[in-house]
DNA sequence: AAAAACATCAACCGCGCAATT
DNA sequence: AAATTGCGCGGTTGATGTTTT
């Protein structure tokens, strides 16, 4: 995880090693594709660094792996990300994808928690920040991709960067700012949902199951803040934006739907502290008002709950 | 019509972890 | 025990296509 904080060295320096002379880079040719495909149909996936030896391909193992996963692999889908998929990405990313800690000093402090957590699974989390770290640590684009059949992590990452991050920039927002995230959550996502529902009702009912699964979750904590950012929606997010529908924050709060993918829990924006706090609530306990109560020593963070959370993140999710 | 600006996405990179030697 | 190798990830780039000026 250090890698993302290691200031990325601007990486403009390539050609730094000299023994790469017989390595092909850049786009793959059809011949290369068929060679790789044949190799994998015989030998299966994996052993990527052996591909060049066996086939004579002048490609690195990493390159072969990438080509297979993102292009050659059966059932891989590219382009035309549907509304449902877009909504799914936004929702999953809003739950799992935000990284809040960018300063290295904060990172180092919290890294201690990570190490503790990893070394000792029964570690009790008494501070909401600790859980944030767990989420941060466990986040993977590929986890989101798992919920979008045929889509690769690369494509979802591309979508996020080219559409969402870019739109945040146009709005002069930080993608991780509360303002932008609230805009996504309370304005943009409900709007997408309406489109999807309109789509589903006008066309076949084949999509309705998906729609019901992709209900945006209710959010009793943060709902009040949403109207403040509603005007930002007029900037026209994403590709098929139109300003026809005006969705207000309460439409989400009224929905009462929970996200079926979550299985047992739901996330809720806390609203304090620049909105960085989040609370995980077990479904069967019902929602209990936690605003202003602070998090130190809250006994919600039992070993059982933490283990459940860990399972959600690591296994199911 | 031409050029410039912008958008897209396949592919690259370095890093860190895990397995193997 | 230490070094090497393999793999997968997030972040980033750049060629190519598209839109705007």
């Amino acid at each position: 995880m250090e890698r993302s904080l290691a200031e990325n060295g601007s990486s403009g320096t390539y050609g730094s090693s000299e023994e790469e002379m017989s390595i092909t880079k850049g786009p793959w040719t059809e011949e290369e594709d068929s060679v790789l495909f044949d190799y994998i149909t015989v030998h299966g996936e994996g052993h990527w660094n052996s591909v060049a030896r066996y086939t004579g391909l002048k490609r690195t193992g990493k390159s072969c792996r990438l080509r297979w996963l993102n292009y050659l692999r059966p059932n891989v889908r590219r382009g035309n990300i549907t509304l449902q998929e877009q909504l799914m990405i936004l929702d999953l990313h809003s739950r799992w994808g935000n990284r809040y800690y960018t300063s290295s000093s904060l990172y180092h402090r919290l890294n201690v928690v990570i190490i503790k957590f990893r070394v000792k699974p029964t570690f009790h989390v008494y501070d909401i920040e600790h859980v944030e770290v767990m989420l941060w640590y466990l986040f993977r684009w590929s986890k989101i991709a798992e919920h979008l059949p045929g889509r690769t992590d690369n494509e979802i990452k591309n979508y996020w960067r080219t559409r969402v991050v870019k739109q945040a920039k146009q709005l002069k927002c930080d993608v991780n700012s509360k303002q932008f995230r609230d805009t996504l959550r309370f304005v943009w996502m409900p709007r997408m949902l309406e489109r999807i529902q309109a789509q589903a009702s006008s066309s076949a009912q084949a999509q309705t199951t998906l729609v019901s699964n992709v209900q945006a979750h209710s959010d009793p904590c943060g709902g009040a803040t949403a109207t403040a950012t509603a005007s930002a929606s007029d900037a026209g997010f994403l590709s098929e934006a139109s300003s026809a529908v005006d969705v207000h924050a309460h439409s989400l709060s009224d929905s009462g739907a929970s996200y079926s993918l979550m299985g047992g829990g739901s996330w809720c924006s806390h609203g304090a502290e620049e909105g960085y706090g989040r609370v995980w609530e077990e479904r069967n306990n019902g929602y209990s008002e936690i605003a202003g109560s602070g998090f130190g020593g809250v006994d919600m963070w039992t070993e059982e709950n933490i283990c459940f959370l860990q399972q959600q993140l690591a296994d199911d999710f």
Side-chain angles (χ1 to χ4, degrees):
Chain A
M1 60 184 306
E2 287 85 354
R3 80 183 86 110
S4 42
L5 291 167
E7 70 176 42
N8 295 327
S10 77
S11 72
T13 64
Y14 64 90
S16 50
S17 68
E18 29 278 344
E19 66 259 42
E20 76 214 21
M21 40 190 63
S22 62
I23 299 293
T24 307
K25 291 183 182 178
W28 282 62
T29 65
E30 280 185 32
E31 289 86 352
E32 288 177 313
D33 279 345
S34 72
V35 168
L36 178 59
F37 191 91
D38 291 345
Y39 172 84
I40 290 172
T41 50
V42 173
H43 296 93
E45 297 184 43
H47 315 290
W48 298 110
N49 287 334
S50 309
V51 177
R53 270 200 301 280
Y54 276 88
T55 64
L57 270 181
K58 302 272 194 296
R59 294 280 182 171
T60 65
K62 290 175 83 160
S63 185
C64 293
R65 171 182 167 273
L66 200 69
R67 185 62 177 172
W68 171 257
L69 290 178
N70 289 344
Y71 190 88
L72 290 176
R73 186 168 49 109
N75 301 324
V76 67
R77 297 169 60 220
R78 283 169 294 125
N80 292 325
I81 298 181
T82 66
L83 272 180
Q84 287 95 333
E85 288 173 320
Q86 291 179 39
L87 182 57
M88 184 88 92
I89 292 169
L90 294 182
D91 192 37
L92 292 174
H93 193 281
S94 77
R95 295 171 189 283
W96 311 107
N98 290 324
R99 290 185 295 120
Y100 305 129
Y101 306 107
T102 53
S103 90
S104 58
S105 62
L106 186 56
Y107 158 71
H108 282 305
R109 182 166 70 83
L110 297 176
N111 189 40
V112 173
V113 178
I114 295 174
I115 292 168
K116 262 178 152 176
F117 176 68
R118 295 178 62 200
V119 168
K120 189 182 173 194
T122 58
F123 176 60
H124 282 67
V125 178
Y126 295 114
D127 188 323
I128 187 65
E129 283 186 348
H130 298 178
V131 180
E132 292 291 338
V133 169
M134 288 157 57
L135 286 175
W136 186 76
Y137 172 69
L138 292 166
F139 172 70
R140 296 281 184 277
W141 286 113
S142 57
K143 292 293 182 190
I144 292 181
E146 283 174 11
H147 292 272
L148 301 166
R151 300 295 185 182
T152 67
D153 57 346
N154 207 33
E155 181 152 33
I156 291 164
K157 195 168 55 181
N158 277 334
Y159 170 80
W160 184 260
R161 283 193 58 80
T162 60
R163 310 292 179 93
V164 183
V165 175
K166 194 190 65 181
Q167 293 303 330
K169 257 179 203 158
Q170 270 179 19
L171 293 171
K172 296 183 162 59
C173 288
D174 176 2
V175 267
N176 289 329
S177 69
K178 175 166 175 53
Q179 184 196 14
F180 184 73
R181 287 186 294 120
D182 281 348
T183 304
L184 277 188
R185 174 184 279 171
F186 300 116
V187 178
W188 183 248
M189 286 168 55
R191 178 175 295 195
M192 287 181 94
L193 188 57
E194 284 200 358
R195 299 269 166 76
I196 291 169
Q197 284 168 336
Q199 231 178 46
S201 61
S202 67
S203 63
Q205 62 269 49
Q207 306 191 11
T208 51
T209 54
L210 225 178
V211 170
S212 64
N213 283 344
V214 188
Q215 292 273 12
H217 58 293
S218 63
D219 194 343
C221 309
T225 67
T227 48
T229 61
S231 63
S233 68
D234 295 329
F237 277 54
L238 311 174
S239 46
E240 53 280 288
S242 82
S243 55
V245 192
D246 191 14
V247 179
H248 294 293
H250 58 263
S251 65
L252 252 190
S253 308
D254 292 341
S255 77
S258 72
Y259 202 81
S260 66
L261 287 173
M262 289 298 298
S266 67
W267 286 98
C268 175
S269 169
H270 178 226
E273 293 278 346
E274 301 178 348
Y276 286 176
R278 284 171 161 183
V279 169
W280 177 77
E281 115 190 54
E282 193 159 16
R283 177 202 282 165
N284 294 333
N285 291 346
Y287 182 77
S288 59
E289 192 61 53
I290 44 84
S293 70
F295 297 101
V298 174
D299 59 4
M300 173 193 322
W301 304 105
T302 61
E303 185 173 324
E304 181 189 5
N305 281 352
I306 299 302
C307 286
F308 178 72
L309 171 61
Q310 191 182 9
Q311 249 179 344
Q312 289 284 314
L313 292 169
D315 303 336
D316 295 342
F317 194 83

